[in-house]
């Protein structure tokens, strides 16, 4: 698994990050086959389609962000690194506490920090 510094070296991956993908949208897109018609064009169109996106697992100490690669076969953690704890907490708070879930998308402020830190 890559660190922040190692991720910076992989421009090919950074250029493929889907900043609009959320954990919920990933489940709808990649795991709920057959409901695509209700989401218009927002579904997997072919085998091998994949998304790269960031999540926060709210159980991790210290607070971190994780870059995931998801396709119809599953999910892989690509990179994990610490982010400013206050930004991570704000993202979780803005996402609303979801009992039993614990996986959150970065908010706008954390996204800007990620983009700047990764030179995206």
């Amino acid at each position: 698994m890559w660190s922040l510094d190692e991720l910076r070296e992989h421009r090919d991956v950074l250029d493929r990050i889907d900043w609009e993908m959320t954990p919920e949208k990933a489940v709808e897109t990649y795991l709920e086959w057959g409901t695509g018609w209700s989401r218009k064009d927002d579904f997997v169109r072919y085998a091998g389609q994949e998304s790269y996106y960031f999540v926060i697992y709210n159980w991790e100490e210290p607070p971190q962000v994780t870059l995931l690669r998801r396709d119809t076969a599953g999910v892989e953690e690509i990179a994990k690194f610490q982010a400013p704890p206050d930004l991570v907490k704000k993202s979780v708070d803005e996402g609303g506490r979801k009992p039993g879930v614990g996986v959150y998308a970065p908010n706008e402020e954390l996204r800007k920090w990620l983009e700047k830190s990764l030179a995206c």
Side-chain angles (χ1 to χ4, degrees), residues 7-60:
L7 180 55
R8 282 187 194 114
E9 298 173 13
H10 293 274
R11 181 57 47 194
D12 58 320
V13 171
L14 294 174
D15 290 342
R16 298 178 70 195
I17 293 174
D18 181 348
W19 295 100
E20 303 306 317
M21 184 63 72
T22 65
E24 297 84 4
K25 186 176 174 185
V27 168
E28 290 176 356
T29 303
Y30 290 95
L31 300 178
E32 294 185 3
W33 287 87
T35 60
W37 63 269
S38 67
R39 290 176 279 120
K40 301 187 179 174
D41 292 332
D42 202 15
F43 58 94
V44 176
R45 290 183 175 73
Y46 56 87
Q49 185 174 339
E50 61 186 12
S51 292
Y52 291 83
Y53 61 100
F54 286 103
V55 298
I56 300 162
Y57 299 125
N58 75 336
W59 58 82
E60 292 182 324

Short mmCIF file of all heavy atoms in Angstrom, two decimals, residues 7-60:
data_model
loop_
_atom_site.label_atom_id
_atom_site.label_comp_id
_atom_site.label_asym_id
_atom_site.label_seq_id
_atom_site.Cartn_x
_atom_site.Cartn_y
_atom_site.Cartn_z
N LEU A 7 2.20 7.81 -3.55
CA LEU A 7 1.07 8.07 -4.43
C LEU A 7 1.38 9.22 -5.38
O LEU A 7 1.02 9.17 -6.56
CB LEU A 7 -0.19 8.36 -3.62
CG LEU A 7 -1.46 8.66 -4.40
CD1 LEU A 7 -1.80 7.54 -5.39
CD2 LEU A 7 -2.62 8.89 -3.44
N ARG A 8 2.07 10.23 -4.89
CA ARG A 8 2.43 11.38 -5.74
C ARG A 8 3.21 10.95 -6.98
O ARG A 8 3.18 11.63 -8.00
CB ARG A 8 3.28 12.38 -4.95
CG ARG A 8 2.52 13.23 -4.02
CD ARG A 8 3.44 14.31 -3.42
NE ARG A 8 2.82 14.92 -2.29
CZ ARG A 8 3.26 14.84 -1.04
NH1 ARG A 8 4.36 14.18 -0.75
NH2 ARG A 8 2.61 15.43 -0.06
N GLU A 9 3.94 9.85 -6.88
CA GLU A 9 4.76 9.35 -7.98
C GLU A 9 3.95 8.62 -9.05
O GLU A 9 4.49 8.29 -10.09
CB GLU A 9 5.84 8.42 -7.43
CG GLU A 9 6.80 9.11 -6.48
CD GLU A 9 7.75 8.13 -5.82
OE1 GLU A 9 7.85 6.97 -6.27
OE2 GLU A 9 8.41 8.53 -4.84
N HIS A 10 2.68 8.38 -8.79
CA HIS A 10 1.85 7.61 -9.72
C HIS A 10 0.81 8.51 -10.39
O HIS A 10 -0.38 8.45 -10.12
CB HIS A 10 1.18 6.45 -8.97
CG HIS A 10 2.16 5.43 -8.50
ND1 HIS A 10 2.58 4.40 -9.30
CD2 HIS A 10 2.82 5.31 -7.33
CE1 HIS A 10 3.46 3.67 -8.64
NE2 HIS A 10 3.63 4.20 -7.44
N ARG A 11 1.28 9.35 -11.28
CA ARG A 11 0.41 10.30 -11.98
C ARG A 11 -0.69 9.57 -12.74
O ARG A 11 -1.82 10.06 -12.84
CB ARG A 11 1.26 11.16 -12.92
CG ARG A 11 0.52 12.22 -13.70
CD ARG A 11 -0.27 13.22 -12.91
NE ARG A 11 0.42 13.82 -11.80
CZ ARG A 11 -0.20 14.51 -10.85
NH1 ARG A 11 -1.50 14.71 -10.86
NH2 ARG A 11 0.48 15.03 -9.85
N ASP A 12 -0.39 8.38 -13.26
CA ASP A 12 -1.40 7.63 -14.00
C ASP A 12 -2.61 7.31 -13.12
O ASP A 12 -3.75 7.34 -13.58
CB ASP A 12 -0.81 6.34 -14.58
CG ASP A 12 -0.21 5.43 -13.51
OD1 ASP A 12 0.44 5.95 -12.57
OD2 ASP A 12 -0.37 4.21 -13.62
N VAL A 13 -2.38 7.04 -11.84
CA VAL A 13 -3.48 6.78 -10.91
C VAL A 13 -4.14 8.09 -10.49
O VAL A 13 -5.37 8.19 -10.47
CB VAL A 13 -2.98 6.00 -9.67
CG1 VAL A 13 -4.05 5.91 -8.60
CG2 VAL A 13 -2.50 4.61 -10.08
N LEU A 14 -3.35 9.09 -10.17
CA LEU A 14 -3.90 10.39 -9.75
C LEU A 14 -4.83 10.97 -10.81
O LEU A 14 -5.86 11.56 -10.48
CB LEU A 14 -2.78 11.38 -9.44
CG LEU A 14 -1.90 11.04 -8.24
CD1 LEU A 14 -0.74 12.01 -8.15
CD2 LEU A 14 -2.71 11.02 -6.96
N ASP A 15 -4.48 10.80 -12.07
CA ASP A 15 -5.31 11.32 -13.15
C ASP A 15 -6.64 10.58 -13.28
O ASP A 15 -7.55 11.07 -13.94
CB ASP A 15 -4.56 11.26 -14.48
CG ASP A 15 -3.41 12.24 -14.54
OD1 ASP A 15 -3.38 13.19 -13.73
OD2 ASP A 15 -2.53 12.06 -15.41
N ARG A 16 -6.77 9.44 -12.64
CA ARG A 16 -7.99 8.64 -12.75
C ARG A 16 -8.89 8.75 -11.51
O ARG A 16 -9.94 8.12 -11.46
CB ARG A 16 -7.62 7.19 -13.00
CG ARG A 16 -6.85 7.05 -14.32
CD ARG A 16 -6.43 5.65 -14.59
NE ARG A 16 -7.63 4.88 -14.89
CZ ARG A 16 -7.65 3.55 -14.88
NH1 ARG A 16 -6.58 2.87 -14.60
NH2 ARG A 16 -8.77 2.90 -15.16
N ILE A 17 -8.51 9.56 -10.54
CA ILE A 17 -9.33 9.69 -9.33
C ILE A 17 -10.67 10.32 -9.68
O ILE A 17 -10.75 11.33 -10.36
CB ILE A 17 -8.61 10.52 -8.25
CG1 ILE A 17 -7.38 9.76 -7.74
CG2 ILE A 17 -9.56 10.85 -7.09
CD1 ILE A 17 -6.52 10.55 -6.79
N ASP A 18 -11.72 9.68 -9.22
CA ASP A 18 -13.09 10.18 -9.41
C ASP A 18 -13.45 10.94 -8.13
O ASP A 18 -13.82 10.35 -7.12
CB ASP A 18 -14.05 9.03 -9.64
CG ASP A 18 -15.47 9.48 -9.88
OD1 ASP A 18 -15.79 10.68 -9.65
OD2 ASP A 18 -16.29 8.65 -10.30
N TRP A 19 -13.33 12.25 -8.18
CA TRP A 19 -13.55 13.08 -7.00
C TRP A 19 -15.02 13.15 -6.60
O TRP A 19 -15.35 13.59 -5.50
CB TRP A 19 -13.00 14.49 -7.23
CG TRP A 19 -11.51 14.49 -7.38
CD1 TRP A 19 -10.80 14.55 -8.54
CD2 TRP A 19 -10.53 14.39 -6.34
NE1 TRP A 19 -9.45 14.51 -8.28
CE2 TRP A 19 -9.25 14.41 -6.93
CE3 TRP A 19 -10.61 14.29 -4.95
CZ2 TRP A 19 -8.07 14.33 -6.20
CZ3 TRP A 19 -9.43 14.21 -4.22
CH2 TRP A 19 -8.18 14.23 -4.84
N GLU A 20 -15.91 12.71 -7.48
CA GLU A 20 -17.35 12.74 -7.17
C GLU A 20 -17.84 11.41 -6.60
O GLU A 20 -18.97 11.33 -6.13
CB GLU A 20 -18.14 13.09 -8.43
CG GLU A 20 -17.74 14.41 -9.07
CD GLU A 20 -17.79 15.58 -8.11
OE1 GLU A 20 -18.77 15.67 -7.34
OE2 GLU A 20 -16.84 16.40 -8.11
N MET A 21 -17.02 10.38 -6.65
CA MET A 21 -17.43 9.06 -6.16
C MET A 21 -17.49 9.08 -4.64
O MET A 21 -16.61 9.62 -3.97
CB MET A 21 -16.46 7.99 -6.64
CG MET A 21 -16.86 6.57 -6.26
SD MET A 21 -18.41 6.00 -7.00
CE MET A 21 -17.93 5.79 -8.71
N THR A 22 -18.54 8.50 -4.10
CA THR A 22 -18.72 8.36 -2.66
C THR A 22 -18.86 6.86 -2.35
O THR A 22 -19.13 6.07 -3.27
CB THR A 22 -19.98 9.09 -2.17
OG1 THR A 22 -21.12 8.44 -2.76
CG2 THR A 22 -19.95 10.57 -2.52
N PRO A 23 -18.73 6.47 -1.11
CA PRO A 23 -18.95 5.05 -0.79
C PRO A 23 -20.34 4.56 -1.21
O PRO A 23 -20.48 3.46 -1.75
CB PRO A 23 -18.79 5.00 0.73
CG PRO A 23 -17.91 6.15 1.06
CD PRO A 23 -18.28 7.22 0.06
N GLU A 24 -21.34 5.39 -1.01
CA GLU A 24 -22.72 5.00 -1.38
C GLU A 24 -22.85 4.86 -2.89
O GLU A 24 -23.47 3.92 -3.38
CB GLU A 24 -23.72 6.05 -0.86
CG GLU A 24 -23.77 6.18 0.65
CD GLU A 24 -22.70 7.10 1.23
OE1 GLU A 24 -21.93 7.73 0.47
OE2 GLU A 24 -22.62 7.18 2.46
N LYS A 25 -22.30 5.82 -3.62
CA LYS A 25 -22.38 5.77 -5.08
C LYS A 25 -21.63 4.57 -5.63
O LYS A 25 -22.05 3.94 -6.60
CB LYS A 25 -21.84 7.08 -5.67
CG LYS A 25 -22.01 7.19 -7.16
CD LYS A 25 -21.54 8.55 -7.65
CE LYS A 25 -21.59 8.61 -9.16
NZ LYS A 25 -21.04 9.87 -9.66
N ALA A 26 -20.51 4.22 -5.00
CA ALA A 26 -19.74 3.06 -5.44
C ALA A 26 -20.56 1.78 -5.30
O ALA A 26 -20.53 0.92 -6.19
CB ALA A 26 -18.44 2.95 -4.66
N VAL A 27 -21.28 1.64 -4.20
CA VAL A 27 -22.13 0.47 -4.01
C VAL A 27 -23.20 0.43 -5.09
O VAL A 27 -23.43 -0.61 -5.72
CB VAL A 27 -22.76 0.45 -2.60
CG1 VAL A 27 -23.86 -0.60 -2.50
CG2 VAL A 27 -21.68 0.21 -1.55
N GLU A 28 -23.87 1.54 -5.33
CA GLU A 28 -24.90 1.59 -6.37
C GLU A 28 -24.33 1.28 -7.75
O GLU A 28 -24.94 0.58 -8.53
CB GLU A 28 -25.55 2.98 -6.41
CG GLU A 28 -26.41 3.29 -5.23
CD GLU A 28 -26.94 4.72 -5.27
OE1 GLU A 28 -26.58 5.48 -6.19
OE2 GLU A 28 -27.71 5.08 -4.38
N THR A 29 -23.16 1.83 -8.04
CA THR A 29 -22.57 1.69 -9.36
C THR A 29 -22.04 0.29 -9.62
O THR A 29 -22.23 -0.26 -10.69
CB THR A 29 -21.42 2.71 -9.54
OG1 THR A 29 -21.94 4.02 -9.32
CG2 THR A 29 -20.82 2.64 -10.93
N TYR A 30 -21.37 -0.29 -8.64
CA TYR A 30 -20.66 -1.55 -8.87
C TYR A 30 -21.30 -2.79 -8.26
O TYR A 30 -20.97 -3.90 -8.67
CB TYR A 30 -19.22 -1.42 -8.35
CG TYR A 30 -18.40 -0.51 -9.20
CD1 TYR A 30 -18.24 0.83 -8.87
CD2 TYR A 30 -17.81 -0.96 -10.37
CE1 TYR A 30 -17.51 1.69 -9.66
CE2 TYR A 30 -17.07 -0.11 -11.18
CZ TYR A 30 -16.92 1.21 -10.82
OH TYR A 30 -16.20 2.06 -11.62
N LEU A 31 -22.19 -2.63 -7.31
CA LEU A 31 -22.72 -3.80 -6.63
C LEU A 31 -24.21 -4.03 -6.81
O LEU A 31 -24.71 -5.08 -6.48
CB LEU A 31 -22.41 -3.71 -5.13
CG LEU A 31 -20.93 -3.64 -4.79
CD1 LEU A 31 -20.74 -3.50 -3.28
CD2 LEU A 31 -20.18 -4.85 -5.31
N GLU A 32 -24.93 -3.07 -7.31
CA GLU A 32 -26.38 -3.22 -7.43
C GLU A 32 -26.77 -3.33 -8.89
O GLU A 32 -27.40 -2.45 -9.46
CB GLU A 32 -27.10 -2.06 -6.73
CG GLU A 32 -26.88 -2.08 -5.24
CD GLU A 32 -27.67 -1.03 -4.49
OE1 GLU A 32 -28.46 -0.30 -5.13
OE2 GLU A 32 -27.49 -0.94 -3.29
N TRP A 33 -26.38 -4.44 -9.47
CA TRP A 33 -26.72 -4.68 -10.88
C TRP A 33 -28.23 -4.70 -11.05
O TRP A 33 -28.96 -5.19 -10.22
CB TRP A 33 -26.15 -6.03 -11.32
CG TRP A 33 -24.67 -5.98 -11.47
CD1 TRP A 33 -23.74 -6.17 -10.50
CD2 TRP A 33 -23.95 -5.66 -12.66
NE1 TRP A 33 -22.48 -6.02 -11.01
CE2 TRP A 33 -22.58 -5.70 -12.33
CE3 TRP A 33 -24.32 -5.34 -13.96
CZ2 TRP A 33 -21.59 -5.43 -13.26
CZ3 TRP A 33 -23.33 -5.10 -14.88
CH2 TRP A 33 -21.98 -5.14 -14.53
N GLY A 34 -28.69 -4.16 -12.16
CA GLY A 34 -30.11 -4.19 -12.48
C GLY A 34 -30.86 -2.96 -12.05
O GLY A 34 -32.02 -2.80 -12.40
N THR A 35 -30.24 -2.05 -11.28
CA THR A 35 -30.97 -0.85 -10.89
C THR A 35 -30.49 0.37 -11.65
O THR A 35 -30.87 1.48 -11.35
CB THR A 35 -30.83 -0.58 -9.37
OG1 THR A 35 -29.44 -0.39 -9.07
CG2 THR A 35 -31.39 -1.71 -8.55
N GLY A 36 -29.64 0.17 -12.65
CA GLY A 36 -29.08 1.28 -13.40
C GLY A 36 -30.12 2.14 -14.09
O GLY A 36 -29.94 3.35 -14.21
N TRP A 37 -31.21 1.55 -14.53
CA TRP A 37 -32.23 2.33 -15.23
C TRP A 37 -32.79 3.43 -14.35
O TRP A 37 -33.14 4.49 -14.83
CB TRP A 37 -33.37 1.41 -15.71
CG TRP A 37 -34.08 0.74 -14.58
CD1 TRP A 37 -33.79 -0.47 -14.03
CD2 TRP A 37 -35.17 1.27 -13.83
NE1 TRP A 37 -34.63 -0.73 -12.99
CE2 TRP A 37 -35.50 0.31 -12.84
CE3 TRP A 37 -35.92 2.44 -13.89
CZ2 TRP A 37 -36.53 0.49 -11.92
CZ3 TRP A 37 -36.95 2.61 -12.98
CH2 TRP A 37 -37.25 1.65 -12.02
N SER A 38 -32.84 3.19 -13.04
CA SER A 38 -33.40 4.21 -12.14
C SER A 38 -32.40 5.32 -11.86
O SER A 38 -32.76 6.36 -11.36
CB SER A 38 -33.86 3.58 -10.83
OG SER A 38 -32.75 3.08 -10.11
N ARG A 39 -31.13 5.09 -12.19
CA ARG A 39 -30.08 6.08 -11.98
C ARG A 39 -29.62 6.67 -13.30
O ARG A 39 -28.54 7.22 -13.38
CB ARG A 39 -28.90 5.44 -11.24
CG ARG A 39 -29.22 5.12 -9.80
CD ARG A 39 -28.08 4.42 -9.11
NE ARG A 39 -28.15 3.00 -9.47
CZ ARG A 39 -27.18 2.35 -10.10
NH1 ARG A 39 -26.08 2.91 -10.40
NH2 ARG A 39 -27.34 1.09 -10.40
N LYS A 40 -30.40 6.51 -14.33
CA LYS A 40 -30.07 6.99 -15.67
C LYS A 40 -28.79 6.32 -16.16
O LYS A 40 -28.76 5.12 -16.27
CB LYS A 40 -30.01 8.51 -15.69
CG LYS A 40 -31.34 9.10 -15.27
CD LYS A 40 -31.40 10.56 -15.43
CE LYS A 40 -32.80 10.94 -15.00
NZ LYS A 40 -33.10 12.25 -14.93
N ASP A 41 -27.75 7.07 -16.45
CA ASP A 41 -26.54 6.48 -17.02
C ASP A 41 -25.45 6.21 -15.99
O ASP A 41 -24.29 6.05 -16.34
CB ASP A 41 -25.97 7.42 -18.11
CG ASP A 41 -26.88 7.49 -19.31
OD1 ASP A 41 -27.60 6.50 -19.57
OD2 ASP A 41 -26.87 8.53 -20.00
N ASP A 42 -25.79 6.17 -14.73
CA ASP A 42 -24.81 6.05 -13.66
C ASP A 42 -24.68 4.61 -13.19
O ASP A 42 -25.12 4.24 -12.11
CB ASP A 42 -25.23 6.96 -12.50
CG ASP A 42 -24.06 7.31 -11.62
OD1 ASP A 42 -22.91 7.11 -12.03
OD2 ASP A 42 -24.31 7.79 -10.50
N PHE A 43 -24.09 3.74 -14.04
CA PHE A 43 -23.91 2.34 -13.69
C PHE A 43 -22.77 1.77 -14.52
O PHE A 43 -22.31 2.39 -15.47
CB PHE A 43 -25.20 1.55 -13.90
CG PHE A 43 -25.72 1.60 -15.31
CD1 PHE A 43 -25.38 0.62 -16.23
CD2 PHE A 43 -26.54 2.63 -15.72
CE1 PHE A 43 -25.86 0.68 -17.54
CE2 PHE A 43 -27.03 2.70 -17.02
CZ PHE A 43 -26.68 1.72 -17.93
N VAL A 44 -22.30 0.60 -14.14
CA VAL A 44 -21.21 -0.06 -14.85
C VAL A 44 -21.71 -0.50 -16.22
O VAL A 44 -22.75 -1.14 -16.34
CB VAL A 44 -20.70 -1.27 -14.05
CG1 VAL A 44 -19.64 -2.02 -14.83
CG2 VAL A 44 -20.15 -0.82 -12.72
N ARG A 45 -20.96 -0.14 -17.24
CA ARG A 45 -21.36 -0.47 -18.60
C ARG A 45 -20.63 -1.69 -19.16
O ARG A 45 -21.08 -2.29 -20.10
CB ARG A 45 -21.10 0.73 -19.51
CG ARG A 45 -22.03 1.88 -19.25
CD ARG A 45 -21.76 3.00 -20.26
NE ARG A 45 -22.70 4.06 -20.12
CZ ARG A 45 -22.73 4.93 -19.14
NH1 ARG A 45 -21.86 4.85 -18.17
NH2 ARG A 45 -23.62 5.88 -19.09
N TYR A 46 -19.45 -2.00 -18.61
CA TYR A 46 -18.67 -3.11 -19.15
C TYR A 46 -17.79 -3.70 -18.06
O TYR A 46 -17.42 -3.03 -17.10
CB TYR A 46 -17.82 -2.65 -20.33
CG TYR A 46 -16.89 -1.50 -19.99
CD1 TYR A 46 -15.62 -1.73 -19.47
CD2 TYR A 46 -17.30 -0.18 -20.17
CE1 TYR A 46 -14.79 -0.67 -19.14
CE2 TYR A 46 -16.47 0.88 -19.85
CZ TYR A 46 -15.21 0.62 -19.34
OH TYR A 46 -14.39 1.67 -19.01
N ALA A 47 -17.46 -4.98 -18.22
CA ALA A 47 -16.54 -5.64 -17.28
C ALA A 47 -15.19 -4.95 -17.37
O ALA A 47 -14.75 -4.55 -18.45
CB ALA A 47 -16.42 -7.11 -17.63
N GLY A 48 -14.55 -4.77 -16.24
CA GLY A 48 -13.25 -4.11 -16.23
C GLY A 48 -13.32 -2.62 -15.94
O GLY A 48 -12.30 -1.98 -15.73
N GLN A 49 -14.52 -2.05 -15.95
CA GLN A 49 -14.65 -0.63 -15.60
C GLN A 49 -14.29 -0.48 -14.13
O GLN A 49 -14.65 -1.31 -13.30
CB GLN A 49 -16.08 -0.17 -15.84
CG GLN A 49 -16.30 1.30 -15.62
CD GLN A 49 -17.71 1.74 -16.01
OE1 GLN A 49 -18.39 1.07 -16.78
NE2 GLN A 49 -18.14 2.84 -15.46
N GLU A 50 -13.54 0.58 -13.80
CA GLU A 50 -13.09 0.76 -12.43
C GLU A 50 -13.12 2.22 -12.04
O GLU A 50 -13.16 3.10 -12.89
CB GLU A 50 -11.68 0.19 -12.24
CG GLU A 50 -10.65 0.84 -13.10
CD GLU A 50 -9.28 0.17 -13.01
OE1 GLU A 50 -9.17 -0.93 -12.45
OE2 GLU A 50 -8.32 0.77 -13.52
N SER A 51 -13.10 2.44 -10.73
CA SER A 51 -13.05 3.80 -10.18
C SER A 51 -12.01 3.86 -9.08
O SER A 51 -11.83 2.90 -8.33
CB SER A 51 -14.40 4.20 -9.56
OG SER A 51 -15.39 4.34 -10.54
N TYR A 52 -11.34 4.99 -9.00
CA TYR A 52 -10.41 5.30 -7.92
C TYR A 52 -11.03 6.44 -7.13
O TYR A 52 -11.40 7.46 -7.71
CB TYR A 52 -9.05 5.74 -8.46
CG TYR A 52 -8.27 4.63 -9.13
CD1 TYR A 52 -8.50 4.29 -10.45
CD2 TYR A 52 -7.28 3.94 -8.43
CE1 TYR A 52 -7.77 3.28 -11.06
CE2 TYR A 52 -6.55 2.95 -9.03
CZ TYR A 52 -6.80 2.61 -10.35
OH TYR A 52 -6.08 1.61 -10.95
N TYR A 53 -11.14 6.27 -5.81
CA TYR A 53 -11.75 7.32 -4.99
C TYR A 53 -11.28 7.18 -3.55
O TYR A 53 -10.82 6.13 -3.12
CB TYR A 53 -13.28 7.27 -5.08
CG TYR A 53 -13.88 5.97 -4.60
CD1 TYR A 53 -14.44 5.87 -3.33
CD2 TYR A 53 -13.91 4.84 -5.41
CE1 TYR A 53 -14.99 4.69 -2.88
CE2 TYR A 53 -14.45 3.65 -4.98
CZ TYR A 53 -14.99 3.57 -3.70
OH TYR A 53 -15.53 2.39 -3.26
N PHE A 54 -11.41 8.28 -2.82
CA PHE A 54 -10.97 8.32 -1.43
C PHE A 54 -12.13 8.06 -0.47
O PHE A 54 -13.26 8.47 -0.73
CB PHE A 54 -10.37 9.69 -1.09
CG PHE A 54 -9.01 9.91 -1.68
CD1 PHE A 54 -8.85 10.70 -2.80
CD2 PHE A 54 -7.89 9.32 -1.11
CE1 PHE A 54 -7.60 10.91 -3.35
CE2 PHE A 54 -6.63 9.52 -1.64
CZ PHE A 54 -6.49 10.32 -2.77
N VAL A 55 -11.81 7.39 0.64
CA VAL A 55 -12.76 7.19 1.72
C VAL A 55 -12.05 7.44 3.05
O VAL A 55 -10.82 7.46 3.12
CB VAL A 55 -13.37 5.77 1.74
CG1 VAL A 55 -14.16 5.49 0.49
CG2 VAL A 55 -12.30 4.71 1.98
N ILE A 56 -12.87 7.60 4.07
CA ILE A 56 -12.39 7.71 5.45
C ILE A 56 -13.07 6.59 6.22
O ILE A 56 -14.29 6.44 6.16
CB ILE A 56 -12.80 9.05 6.07
CG1 ILE A 56 -12.22 10.21 5.27
CG2 ILE A 56 -12.40 9.12 7.53
CD1 ILE A 56 -12.92 11.53 5.54
N TYR A 57 -12.26 5.80 6.94
CA TYR A 57 -12.81 4.81 7.87
C TYR A 57 -12.75 5.46 9.24
O TYR A 57 -11.68 5.73 9.76
CB TYR A 57 -11.96 3.53 7.86
CG TYR A 57 -11.90 2.84 6.52
CD1 TYR A 57 -10.67 2.55 5.92
CD2 TYR A 57 -13.05 2.46 5.85
CE1 TYR A 57 -10.60 1.91 4.71
CE2 TYR A 57 -12.99 1.81 4.63
CZ TYR A 57 -11.76 1.54 4.06
OH TYR A 57 -11.70 0.90 2.86
N ASN A 58 -13.91 5.72 9.83
CA ASN A 58 -13.92 6.53 11.05
C ASN A 58 -13.40 5.78 12.27
O ASN A 58 -13.28 6.36 13.34
CB ASN A 58 -15.29 7.14 11.32
CG ASN A 58 -16.29 6.13 11.83
OD1 ASN A 58 -16.18 4.93 11.61
ND2 ASN A 58 -17.31 6.63 12.51
N TRP A 59 -13.04 4.53 12.17
CA TRP A 59 -12.51 3.78 13.29
C TRP A 59 -10.98 3.83 13.37
O TRP A 59 -10.39 3.35 14.32
CB TRP A 59 -12.96 2.32 13.24
CG TRP A 59 -12.56 1.62 11.97
CD1 TRP A 59 -11.34 1.05 11.69
CD2 TRP A 59 -13.37 1.40 10.83
NE1 TRP A 59 -11.34 0.50 10.44
CE2 TRP A 59 -12.58 0.70 9.88
CE3 TRP A 59 -14.68 1.72 10.49
CZ2 TRP A 59 -13.07 0.33 8.63
CZ3 TRP A 59 -15.16 1.33 9.25
CH2 TRP A 59 -14.36 0.65 8.34
N GLU A 60 -10.34 4.41 12.37
CA GLU A 60 -8.88 4.42 12.35
C GLU A 60 -8.29 5.54 13.21
O GLU A 60 -8.78 6.67 13.19
CB GLU A 60 -8.36 4.58 10.92
CG GLU A 60 -8.65 3.38 10.06
CD GLU A 60 -8.11 3.51 8.66
OE1 GLU A 60 -8.13 4.63 8.11
OE2 GLU A 60 -7.69 2.50 8.12
#
